[in-house]
Amino acid sequence: MTDASVLPGQPRGGVLSGPATARAVNVLAPNPSAMTLDGTNTWIVSEPDSGLAVVVDPGPLDEGHLRHVVDTAERAGKRVALTLLTHGHPDHAEGAARFAELTGTRVRALDPALRLGDEGLAAGDVVRVGGLELRVVPTPGHTADSLCFHLPADRAVLTGDTILGRGTTVVAHPDGRLGDYLDSLRRLRSLTVDDGVHTVLPGHGPVLDDAQGAVEFYLAHRAHRLAQVETAVEDGYRTPAEVVAHVYADVDRSLWPAAELSVRAQMEYLEDHGLI
């Protein structure tokens, strides 16, 4: 067995569902796959002494899961007062409209098409519910509408798909762009350095107890992959599919379609910077 303390970000072992910090509880959605890892993490966030809660990423349109989220909050003496989305991919957002029906809440997101209610989310916004404070951090790159939520009271950040609890994420070209993603990772690194964030509450996979280590790993991984793609193109691999087959030869072939999205984003980045 590999010691988790030597893995990037120091992932926690054990059951994924349940309390993660003093203010954040995970309810794992039943949608495991190669892309979603163990399933989508739906986060219930609230002040310990408050009767109000915020839910981040209700997850897929699965009635049992959505009701389980409501029941989990109610068993803790909480009423869901607001729903937030980190981004619009279906494994995070498809159930949001139905969840809003079940809870009578608004849905706030960066993308207006995902909102229910007049109020969206933007850089610098601070969400306050029942004494809870969540700071909106723009982190485009995985998708154009990706956001993270800084939970300063727990020195934690909810990262959606920008940082995962295991492995690395896809830059979902053409909506996602590598330059944006690298800037977003640097923004998250600043949170760990300047704001003392040490815990990552990801959209998939286990909680990470070394946020700075996770960000540094992601930055190093992206630099390594970018160099590999640049070398592959110089060696005559011209199409994204050819580059994937060469650079990702050791990766499960079921993940190659997703890897091709990232390769397209990397090739675009290299072209924009005059490197290929």
Side-chain angles (χ1 to χ4, degrees):
M1 180 178 294
T2 303
D3 183 356
S5 66
V6 303
L7 296 175
Q10 296 183 18
R12 291 186 195 173
V15 179
L16 296 182
S17 284
T21 68
R23 292 164 180 80
V25 174
N26 182 31
V27 181
L28 182 65
N31 62 332
S33 73
M35 291 298 295
T36 61
L37 304 181
D38 311 271
T40 300
N41 294 334
T42 294
W43 291 101
I44 302 171
V45 192
S46 66
E47 283 296 312
D49 59 353
S50 173
L52 301 177
V54 174
V55 165
V56 178
D57 289 351
L61 184 54
D62 181 295
E63 187 75 9
H65 171 65
L66 300 177
R67 290 187 178 274
H68 183 38
V69 174
V70 175
D71 291 345
T72 300
E74 290 181 347
R75 284 197 301 270
K78 314 283 186 182
R79 177 178 66 83
V80 178
L82 181 63
T83 302
L84 304 177
L85 297 177
T86 61
H87 66 296
H89 279 167
D91 56 314
H92 294 258
E94 185 183 38
R98 175 58 180 153
F99 189 72
E101 290 179 354
L102 292 173
T103 58
T105 60
R106 296 167 295 143
V107 177
R108 295 182 64 183
L110 178 62
D111 185 349
L114 300 170
R115 300 172 189 167
L116 290 175
D118 297 331
E119 198 171 8
L121 292 170
D125 283 352
V126 179
V127 177
R128 293 185 174 90
V129 173
L132 178 75
E133 179 181 296
L134 288 170
R135 300 175 184 173
V136 178
V137 183
T139 50
H142 170 65
T143 60
D145 70 328
S146 288
L147 298 171
C148 292
F149 298 102
H150 177 201
L151 177 56
D154 283 347
R155 298 172 64 192
V157 60
L158 294 95
T159 55
D161 282 357
T162 299
I163 292 180
L164 305 179
R166 185 170 66 251
T168 55
T169 199
V170 172
V171 179
H173 184 272
D175 184 44
R177 295 175 60 87
L178 181 60
D180 291 340
Y181 187 62
L182 294 174
D183 287 343
S184 294
L185 290 176
R186 296 182 189 108
R187 192 170 297 119
L188 290 175
R189 180 170 59 187
S190 293
L191 283 183
T192 70
V193 173
D194 300 331
D195 295 277
V197 166
H198 60 66
T199 302
V200 172
L201 306 176
H204 304 279
V207 171
L208 300 177
D209 287 319
D210 177 14
Q212 185 172 354
V215 175
E216 296 292 357
F217 169 76
Y218 266 64
L219 285 166
H221 170 79
R222 281 296 161 205
H224 177 63
R225 283 297 194 207
L226 192 62
Q228 286 181 309
V229 170
E230 183 178 5
T231 298
V233 173
E234 290 172 349
D235 289 345
Y237 299 92
R238 298 301 181 192
T239 69
E242 290 173 344
V243 172
V244 168
H246 178 68
V247 172
Y248 291 80
D250 59 340
V251 174
D252 187 329
R253 282 177 174 255
S254 68
L255 298 175
W256 281 15
E260 186 170 328
L261 296 179
S262 284
V263 166
R264 288 180 182 275
Q266 291 171 93
M267 292 177 74
E268 178 184 71
Y269 179 89
L270 291 169
E271 289 171 359
D272 289 347
H273 288 76
L275 299 173
I276 60 173

